[in-house]
Amino acid sequence: MKKKLMVLFGGVSSEHEVSRTSAASMLRHVNREKYDIIKVGIKKDGKWLQTFADTEEIENGRWEDREDNKEIVLMPGTGFEGLEVDVVFPLLHGRNGEDGRIQGFLQIAGIPFVGSDSTSSAACMDKAITKAMVDQAEICRQAQCCIVHAGCDEDEAAGVIEEFFEGQMPLFVKPANAGSSVGISKVKTSKQLPEALKLAFAEDSKALVEEAINGREIEVAVLGNSGTGDGPCASCIGEIFAANEFYDYTAKYDDIGSRTGIVTDLTEELEKEIRDTAVGIYEIMGCDGLARVDFFLVPGPSGGYEDGEAVFNEINTMPGFTRISMYPQLWEASGLEYSKLIDRLVELTLNK
């Protein structure tokens, strides 16, 4: 018997459009012989609509204009009113999507869903909490960092930051809770700090200021449930070649000059160490289902990468599923094709 799989997309988020693209990509690859697909979009005003739109309408946003859309309601403890669902795949990115809010909502409703629970999602979304937990575990090096809260005087904060880093430049200023590099600035002089803090505080009330790590941007896809016989396991390693000075939102989704590739020039020992570290961070954060773990690879004592070191950057519990997204590409390169990846994620959800 087919499973009823709900694809949930859109959302009240700056990544609403990316979510639509992820959903469209998934719908093009999902095995229709295994699942009855239920498509539900969340508009930017927060309204939930079951839609019968085709994949192209979902991707370009015209799904919202269909007259046969049906508003649906999620009921605590009973699921969706008048709608039977076995598993929800919440392809929602950024705020209100991977920060634990939608996960808590689905948990209260008693509906199985792909991905980490509300606690793990919230902890991974907050870069300050993630850093604290990874630091506590002493599993790998991270960029030196300080935290600044909104409401401070940006000019005074800039002086404190400059003193903390002893004049070291450049620095990165990031909102603690935001996805896809939204609100991030690379700061090359202390005079740029106040404006960078304002930009970060437009996204969140807490900002991180980090030293810039000069290294290759690499990523590992992790799949499985923490603390069970269902994994987790790590993919091969991928690398980002950003068209912009750093891998911001535009470089990820708009600039055709950005590209990705599979890393093939590392020793087996170093590659295993990086993959094991990715799994270790995944388990420290209590993740289930999937996540992408991002590092900077810096040269080692020899000056090359054969004895290099991976510096942890961040973890993303609902990475993009677009045609150019690293997560499905890494599993494809590791021998798990897109449709089988979806099957495995549904299986992991039902096994929890």
Side-chain angles (χ1 to χ4, degrees):
M1 182 180 295
K2 289 184 179 182
K3 296 293 183 184
K4 297 184 184 298
L5 177 62
M6 176 182 287
V7 179
L8 186 61
F9 63 90
V12 185
S13 166
S14 60
E15 296 181 67
H16 179 99
E17 291 77 13
V18 178
S19 172
R20 293 199 320 252
T21 306
S22 287
S25 183
M26 178 189 168
L27 290 168
R28 291 187 179 107
H29 290 87
V30 69
N31 187 342
R32 304 286 178 143
E33 294 182 1
K34 285 191 172 185
Y35 310 105
D36 286 325
I37 302 298
I38 301 164
K39 294 171 281 190
V40 174
I42 303 176
K43 297 174 64 177
K44 289 184 177 180
D45 64 4
K47 184 177 292 186
W48 292 44
L49 297 173
Q50 181 183 4
T51 185
F52 301 94
D54 62 31
T55 302
E56 287 69 28
E57 288 176 308
I58 289 172
E59 189 164 26
N60 61 36
R62 289 200 292 269
W63 72 275
E64 294 187 16
D65 302 325
R66 289 183 64 109
E67 294 183 358
D68 58 352
N69 286 341
K70 177 183 176 183
E71 189 167 0
I72 64 170
V73 178
L74 188 60
M75 303 293 290
T78 59
F80 292 98
E81 187 175 13
L83 195 61
E84 184 182 343
V85 176
D86 292 312
V87 178
V88 173
F89 200 134
L91 278 165
L92 304 170
H93 308 307
R95 190 181 298 276
N96 298 313
E98 55 187 298
D99 58 3
R101 296 178 186 179
I102 193 71
Q103 290 78 11
F105 206 18
L106 293 169
Q107 284 172 229
I108 290 171
I111 302 174
F113 59 91
V114 171
S116 296
D117 65 15
S118 58
T119 302
S120 176
S121 298
C124 290
M125 183 71 174
D126 190 312
K127 296 178 180 68
I129 293 175
T130 302
K131 277 187 165 291
M133 293 179 69
V134 173
D135 263 344
Q136 181 73 22
E138 299 182 341
I139 190 171
C140 66
R141 178 185 159 197
Q142 301 184 77
Q144 187 182 22
C145 166
C146 69
I147 299 168
V148 184
H149 293 270
C152 67
D153 181 281
E154 283 90 357
D155 291 315
E156 290 182 8
V160 173
I161 292 166
E162 190 171 15
E163 182 178 350
F164 178 87
F165 286 101
E166 298 180 340
Q168 176 185 347
M169 292 287 171
L171 302 171
F172 279 98
V173 180
K174 309 176 179 180
N177 287 275
S180 286
S181 303
V182 175
I184 294 183
S185 303
K186 185 175 184 179
V187 172
K188 298 178 180 179
T189 70
S190 58
K191 291 181 179 180
Q192 296 174 324
L193 278 167
E195 191 60 36
L197 288 170
K198 288 179 183 177
L199 183 65
F201 290 144
E203 299 295 330
D204 191 48
S205 61
K206 184 168 54 179
L208 276 71
V209 183
E210 293 180 340
E211 64 171 319
I213 301 296
N214 185 21
R216 295 162 62 180
E217 295 188 53
I218 61 172
E219 302 182 344
V220 179
V222 182
L223 178 67
N225 294 336
S226 294
T228 73
D230 280 328
C233 58
S235 71
C236 59
I237 301 172
E239 184 167 5
I240 300 295
F241 303 93
N244 295 349
E245 190 171 4
F246 64 96
Y247 203 42
D248 60 4
Y249 185 95
T250 301
K252 284 184 180 181
Y253 301 114
D254 296 333
D255 198 321
I256 60 173
S258 294
R259 58 187 179 89
T260 59
I262 303 301
V263 175
T264 59
D265 63 335
L266 306 184
T267 65
E268 289 185 12
E269 293 78 12
L270 181 55
E271 181 170 344
K272 182 180 185 300
E273 179 185 332
I274 293 169
R275 294 173 70 214
D276 288 348
T277 300
V279 169
I281 291 169
Y282 186 93
E283 293 184 310
I284 288 164
M285 301 306 297
C287 296
D288 287 326
L290 73 164
R292 194 194 68 236
V293 187
D294 301 347
F295 300 91
F296 296 106
L297 181 63
V298 300
S302 69
Y305 292 102
E306 60 274 8
D307 56 349
E309 179 185 18
V311 180
F312 172 61
N313 183 23
E314 63 183 31
I315 184 169
N316 187 313
T317 55
M318 189 52 69
F321 264 69
T322 72
R323 61 180 176 80
I324 62 170
S325 296
M326 184 66 93
Y327 191 88
Q329 284 191 50
L330 286 172
W331 283 116
E332 288 267 9
S334 301
L336 186 62
E337 63 183 58
Y338 203 130
S339 63
K340 298 296 185 183
L341 174 60
I342 296 168
D343 292 344
R344 182 62 179 141
L345 287 167
V346 172
E347 180 184 4
L348 287 167
T349 300
L350 295 175
N351 286 349
K352 282 196 291 187

